[in-house]
Amino acid sequence: MSLKVALITLGCAKNTVDSEVVKGMLISGGFEWQEKTSNADVVLINTCGFIRDAKEQSIETILGVVAEKNTSQKVVVFGCLAQRYSKEIEKEIPEVDGIIGNDQLTRMPDILKSLFLQERVLEVKNSNEFVREGFINRERVEDGFYSYLKIADGCDNLCSYCVIPLVRGRYRSKMPDDVIQEAKYLVNKGVKEVILIAQDIGEYGKDIDPKYNLPRLLKDLTSIKDLDWVRLLYCYPNHLTDDLLYTIASEKKICNYLDLPLQHISDNVLKKMGRTFLREDIYGLVSKIKKILPDVALRSTFIVGFPGETSRDIEILSNGLKDLKLTWSSFFTYSREEGTPAAKMANQLPEGAKLERLSLVKEIQHGVTIEEIKKYIGKRLPVLIEEKIPNEKDWYLGRSYVQSPEIDGQIYVNIKENIQNKIGVIIPVDIIGSTNIDLIGEVTDESCQ
C-alpha cells in the first residue's frame, strides 16, 4: 500500500519550487498525495529560516502539526530552518521524525520510506558540500498561469546580515539545457509566464561558462513556443549589465520589469551591510535603466533598523525613495541572525525604533507607488486574465508586465461577454483608472482589434 503524503510550504518562491520538485518525485515514486494533513501518513513541512518572523512562523507551524499528529503519523521538516537548526529541532522537538537538509530533496522518496523502518531520520550536510541541481519533473503546489523557475541556488555575495550562504551554499547555476527543459515542461503544463528566480539571477552562468550568461539564457527561453512572458526577479545591482538591459529591450517576451534588492540607500549603512555599491551608483543605475527601458516597472527591497543606522540614514533613504520613484518596494526590519557579522556589530537598535522607521518609509513608498501606477492610465497594456471576480458580472482580475504575482497590485478588468476565452489569455486592455495600488481597465471590441 502506498504512503499518503501531505505538504505545507512556507517561505519564499524558491521554497515553492523545492516543494513542487518534492511533490513531483513523490507522485512519480508511487506516493499518494493528500490535501489534508489529517489524512496523511507523512506530513512534510518546507520551512523558512531567513529572518526572525519567518523562523517563528516555521516553528509555530511545526509545533502545531506535531501537537495534532496521531500515533501512526510521521512529521518531516525540510527547507532552510531544517538546514540551519537541525540539531536544535532534533533536541527541542523530539516529535519530529525526520529532518532533511536543502541538498537532500532528490532522496526524499527513499528517506520517507526509511522512516517506517527506523525511529528517526536526520539527513543534513554542510552547505559547502551542496551540488548543482538538475531537471526534475515538478508538480504544481499553487494554481495559476505563472510558475517560478529557479535558475541557480546559493549565493557568493556574503552580505553582513544574510544567512543564505549558510543554508543554501555557494552559488550554483543550473545547466542551460536543464533550465530550457524545465521551462518547456512548465509551458506544456499550461504556464503562460515563467518567472526566473535565484538569490541573484544576474550571476547566472559564471560557474559553468562565463560566455553563457543570463542574456544568452533569455534569448534561448524566448524562443520557446507558447511561452508568452519571462519575468526577472532578484538581480543584484552590480550584476545588471548593459547587455542584459538591451536584451530585455529587444525581446518582446521579456517583461519590462526588474527586481533590484537595494537594501538601503545611505552609504553609511550600505558599507556596513557589505554591499559593493553606494548611493551614487544606485541613482546612476536607476537612471540608466529608465533610459534604456522607458516603460520599466522597478521593484526593490529595503532593510530598516540596521545596526548603527541613524536618523540621517533614514532621511537619506526616505529622500531616495522619493527621488528614484520605484514602482514597488518591500520593507523589513533588520533581523539579528546568529552566525552573521552584523549580529556582532555595536549599536543594535531597539525593536520600537525599527518599527517606527518601518512605518515611515512604507508610507512614503505607498504614496510613490500610487503616483507611479497612475502613469499607466490612458495606456493600452497586455494583461494576463487570471480569474473571474465572483458575483461581479463582466469583471475579471489580471496582471500586466507591471505586476509580479503575489507581491504587487492587480488589474480589475471589465470584459464584455462577446469576447471569448478570457481566463488564461493575454489580451490588450485599456487602462481607465486606478484605486490605491491597483489599476482598472476595460476591454472593448476596438481594443481587441
Side-chain angles (χ1 to χ4, degrees):
M1 186 173 70
S2 62
L3 291 175
K4 299 177 181 178
V5 181
L7 171 65
I8 299 171
T9 302
L10 307 171
C12 66
K14 291 182 282 294
N15 270 19
T16 298
V17 173
D18 289 344
S19 285
E20 292 183 352
V21 167
V22 168
K23 183 178 180 180
M25 288 188 298
L26 293 178
I27 290 178
S28 297
F31 289 76
E32 185 178 335
W33 206 254
Q34 300 292 314
E35 295 301 325
K36 294 183 178 181
T37 58
S38 58
N39 296 334
D41 301 310
V42 181
V43 180
L44 299 174
I45 307 173
N46 190 353
T47 62
C48 180
F50 183 50
I51 58 176
R52 184 187 61 192
D53 289 349
K55 289 188 292 186
E56 290 178 353
Q57 182 189 26
S58 293
I59 293 169
E60 289 172 2
T61 301
I62 295 170
L63 292 175
V65 170
V66 298
E68 295 180 357
K69 80 169 187 174
N70 58 51
T71 54
S72 62
Q73 268 186 333
K74 303 290 186 180
V75 175
V76 175
V77 298
F78 66 105
C80 292
L81 187 84
Q83 175 68 39
R84 189 178 176 196
Y85 296 105
S86 59
K87 293 181 180 178
E88 290 83 351
I89 295 171
E90 183 181 23
K91 179 181 178 181
E92 301 296 334
I93 315 179
E95 298 88 350
V96 169
D97 303 286
I99 305 170
I100 313 301
N102 278 333
D103 71 322
Q104 298 294 298
L105 302 189
T106 56
R107 297 183 55 240
M108 190 69 79
D110 291 336
I111 291 173
L112 295 191
K113 291 174 183 177
S114 71
L115 268 179
F116 292 87
L117 301 176
Q118 54 189 300
E119 186 173 340
R120 209 170 194 192
V121 172
L122 178 63
E123 295 284 350
V124 180
K125 289 185 179 180
N126 189 291
S127 61
N128 292 330
E129 302 177 41
F130 288 5
V131 298
R132 194 186 318 279
E133 296 179 4
F135 168 75
I136 297 175
N137 289 345
R138 295 159 50 183
E139 288 290 337
R140 304 290 300 280
V141 297
E142 295 181 353
D143 295 328
F145 297 99
Y146 66 89
S147 185
Y148 298 102
L149 202 171
K150 186 167 59 170
I151 63 173
D153 209 342
C155 187
D156 292 340
N157 290 325
L158 302 178
C159 299
S160 66
Y161 54 85
C162 187
V163 299
I164 292 298
L166 301 177
V167 296
R168 289 280 182 176
R170 300 296 301 271
Y171 195 90
R172 309 177 306 284
S173 302
K174 189 176 290 185
M175 296 301 291
D177 288 347
D178 287 331
V179 175
I180 301 302
Q181 184 181 3
E182 189 167 344
K184 290 179 178 178
Y185 175 81
L186 293 171
V187 170
N188 287 335
K189 290 281 189 176
V191 169
K192 300 292 185 181
E193 174 185 3
V194 166
I195 304 172
L196 303 187
I197 58 171
Q199 200 60 31
D200 178 6
I201 62 171
E203 287 202 290
Y204 177 79
K206 71 168 189 174
D207 56 326
I208 50 176
D209 180 359
K211 294 181 181 179
Y212 194 94
N213 53 15
L214 182 58
R216 280 195 59 183
L217 177 66
L218 288 170
K219 290 176 182 177
D220 286 341
L221 286 171
T222 54
S223 68
I224 296 175
K225 183 182 178 181
D226 296 327
L227 174 57
D228 293 321
W229 285 349
V230 179
R231 187 181 299 274
L232 312 181
L233 294 188
Y234 321 132
C235 188
Y236 196 81
N238 281 27
H239 306 135
L240 185 61
T241 63
D242 289 359
D243 186 15
L244 176 55
L245 290 174
Y246 284 112
T247 299
I248 296 171
S250 65
E251 297 287 349
K252 292 183 179 180
K253 288 187 176 183
I254 305 175
C255 295
N256 274 13
Y257 181 106
L258 280 168
D259 186 324
L260 305 174
L262 299 174
Q263 309 303 4
H264 217 284
I265 298 178
S266 168
D267 289 353
N268 172 50
V269 179
L270 288 169
K271 290 175 181 177
K272 291 179 178 178
M273 286 180 167
R275 308 292 275 181
T276 53
F277 52 87
L278 299 176
R279 176 178 175 275
E280 183 179 353
D281 303 316
I282 292 171
Y283 274 68
L285 178 61
V286 171
S287 177
K288 179 170 66 174
I289 293 170
K290 291 184 176 182
K291 183 177 181 180
I292 297 174
L293 303 169
D295 296 324
V296 71
L298 288 176
R299 161 171 277 281
S300 191
T301 306
F302 297 94
I303 298 172
V304 298
F306 196 79
E309 181 190 71
T310 66
S311 57
R312 174 58 181 159
D313 295 325
I314 286 296
E315 182 181 353
I316 292 171
L317 173 57
S318 300
N319 290 335
L321 296 174
K322 298 172 186 176
D323 294 339
L324 297 175
K325 299 187 186 307
L326 305 174
T327 316
W328 313 100
S329 289
S330 296
F331 300 89
F332 302 91
T333 57
Y334 165 72
S335 179
R336 190 176 188 177
E337 298 300 321
E338 61 268 30
T340 64
K344 301 176 182 178
M345 290 181 180
N347 300 317
Q348 300 280 335
L349 273 64
E351 290 301 314
K354 294 179 189 178
L355 292 174
E356 286 181 9
R357 295 176 180 189
L358 178 69
S359 178
L360 171 66
V361 294
K362 286 178 70 174
E363 183 177 357
I364 291 171
Q365 179 60 46
H366 184 68
V368 171
T369 293
I370 289 175
E371 292 305 310
E372 288 300 300
I373 284 297
K374 289 179 180 178
K375 293 181 179 180
Y376 295 99
I377 297 174
K379 295 185 177 183
R380 180 171 293 170
L381 299 179
V383 175
L384 173 59
I385 304 299
E386 297 184 296
E387 62 179 291
K388 173 76 171 64
I389 299 178
N391 304 318
E392 293 288 344
K393 184 181 179 182
D394 299 341
W395 283 97
Y396 295 77
L397 279 175
R399 292 179 297 106
S400 186
Y401 75 88
V402 180
Q403 300 118 336
S404 188
E406 304 180 295
I407 53 177
D408 299 332
Q410 294 177 292
I411 302 180
Y412 292 85
V413 186
N414 184 259
I415 305 179
K416 302 306 178 186
E417 288 300 326
N418 60 338
I419 299 174
Q420 302 298 315
N421 302 321
K422 306 173 184 68
I423 306 297
V425 178
I426 296 175
I427 57 177
V429 173
D430 293 324
I431 305 302
I432 59 174
S434 63
T435 171
N436 201 359
I437 63 171
D438 296 315
L439 289 169
I440 303 171
E442 64 179 4
V443 177
T444 62
D445 291 336
E446 179 183 352
S447 64
C448 285
Q449 289 177 357

